[in-house]
Amino acid sequence: MSIPVAADRPAVLEFEEVDFVRNGRTILSGVDFTVRAGEHWALIGPNGAGKSTILSICGAAAHPTRGSAAVLGRRLGAVDLRELRHSIGHVNPRHPLRSPLTVFEVVLTGATGSNDLVPRWTPPPATVARAEDLITRLGLDPIREALWPNLSQGERGRALIARALLPDPDLLLLDEPTTGLDVAAREHFLRTVDQLHDTHRDLATVLVTHHLEELPVSTTHAMLIGDGRLLTSGPADQVLTTANISDCFDYPIEISRHDGRWQARASSE
Ligand SMILES: Nc1ncnc2c1ncn2[C@@H]1O[C@H](COP(=O)(O)OP(=O)(O)OP(=O)(O)O)[C@@H](O)[C@H]1O
């Protein structure tokens, strides 16, 4: 069910020869890719390859040491990062929330980009209406008043997607969103992401995962990262092959695809 995307759609992310150096260590080197509106990318690579670092630049939380990165058409280094972040939805399963907010309140924090409700902030009626709509669309009505500490991982995942979509972002970043989910919650989550792609045709997404089984059917593109370098990128079916994945993980892995979903297992050769 991959949705074809025209090459002339606007670029949402443009990395050109991006290097990222921290504490004298080169973490990313010469990373080059373009993500366009309506594309759904998977970002895959071994532990420590640099995936989270790429995602933090995509989320305007860090900028390149060398090279250039444009997010939503704005070049990092020349724009107010905080303002830019309002147009980016970020789903992080390790969302650092300490107070016992309800699901409804957690979704509302998407309007202020904060972890907690901002004191003395009254959400405008349009924001409340949008939060209600997202809660219904993500199947959260029965747990609207449930408290965050009591939610299951799957319920939290759906609440965080609703939160991320509240400001109607053009870019959605999903950082290992299925971590800790049981198989039913994972499948529900993946269906939610596929439906999202059907209803938000211009939304671009970048999803980081360690497991190819956790890629939504609607994934259109993929990039493989190894040791801070982009190994290959492009249409998902051309990138997620036995040869490319085995090379990326330096291990013989066989890739297959059934009904739009990918599977990876150790090669018998
Ligand atoms: N501030 C920093 N200073 C030095 N090294 C860092 C810093 N931040 C990250 N690194 C290193 O950069 C490399 C890439 O880290 P990153 O978190 O981007 O990898 P990842 O692909 O997301 O890994 P994982 O799959 O384990 O989550 C790692 O080796 C990490 O130890």
Side-chain angles (χ1 to χ4, degrees):
M1 196 195 69
S2 291
I3 303 158
V5 175
D8 58 356
R9 301 286 292 274
V12 173
L13 291 167
E14 269 180 304
F15 276 45
E16 285 173 18
E17 294 296 319
V18 166
D19 291 354
F20 188 79
V21 180
R22 271 293 170 278
N23 301 324
R25 194 175 151 207
T26 300
I27 296 171
L28 297 178
S29 186
V31 173
D32 239 341
F33 64 84
T34 301
V35 171
R36 296 185 180 280
E39 292 181 347
H40 311 301
W41 283 73
L43 175 47
I44 290 169
N47 289 130
K51 303 181 294 297
S52 298
T53 307
I54 291 179
L55 214 63
S56 66
I57 298 174
C58 296
H63 32 77
T65 310
R66 286 182 291 273
S68 114
V71 179
L72 299 168
R74 322 267 288 280
R75 191 171 181 276
L76 300 187
V79 290
D80 178 353
L81 293 187
R82 263 181 313 172
E83 194 192 310
L84 190 54
R85 275 184 225 136
H86 279 143
S87 310
I88 303 168
H90 201 148
V91 176
N92 174 6
R94 293 164 294 279
H95 183 62
L97 176 59
R98 280 171 210 93
S99 2
L101 300 188
T102 64
V103 166
F104 179 64
E105 289 169 330
V106 169
V107 175
L108 279 181
T109 62
T112 46
S114 51
N115 295 332
D116 280 299
L117 281 174
V118 171
R120 290 181 295 282
W121 174 71
T122 309
T127 303
V128 172
R130 185 162 166 78
E132 300 283 13
D133 177 50
L134 286 165
I135 281 180
T136 301
R137 276 201 277 148
L138 286 152
L140 293 165
D141 281 314
I143 54 165
R144 185 186 183 282
E145 296 307 317
L147 298 179
W148 179 261
N150 301 336
L151 300 181
S152 74
Q153 288 268 28
E155 292 164 344
R156 286 183 183 187
R158 277 184 285 141
L160 290 177
I161 292 192
R163 175 183 182 275
L165 291 175
L166 189 69
D168 197 13
D170 299 311
L171 172 63
L172 183 64
L173 305 173
L174 300 155
D175 195 354
E176 297 180 42
T178 43
T179 299
L181 300 194
D182 68 33
V183 65
R186 181 188 77 182
E187 292 305 305
H188 192 280
F189 178 88
L190 292 177
R191 230 183 8 255
T192 304
V193 173
D194 286 332
Q195 284 163 357
L196 193 64
H197 292 159
D198 277 344
T199 50
H200 294 66
R201 308 295 283 194
D202 285 337
L203 181 70
T205 54
V206 180
L207 183 151
V208 170
T209 183
H210 286 112
H211 304 289
L212 272 73
E213 291 76 4
E214 299 181 354
L215 288 180
V217 172
S218 51
T219 304
T220 58
H221 292 75
M223 65 181 103
L224 303 183
I225 310 291
D227 204 15
R229 291 178 181 278
L230 186 63
L231 301 177
T232 177
S233 68
D237 275 331
Q238 290 169 30
V239 169
L240 302 176
T241 63
T242 294
N244 286 342
I245 298 287
S246 300
D247 185 42
C248 178
F249 287 86
D250 197 20
Y251 194 84
I253 299 168
E254 208 171 298
I255 304 301
S256 55
R257 193 175 187 195
H258 304 286
D259 296 330
R261 295 284 294 276
W262 282 270
Q263 277 182 342
R265 61 188 173 94
S267 171
S268 49
E269 301 273 300

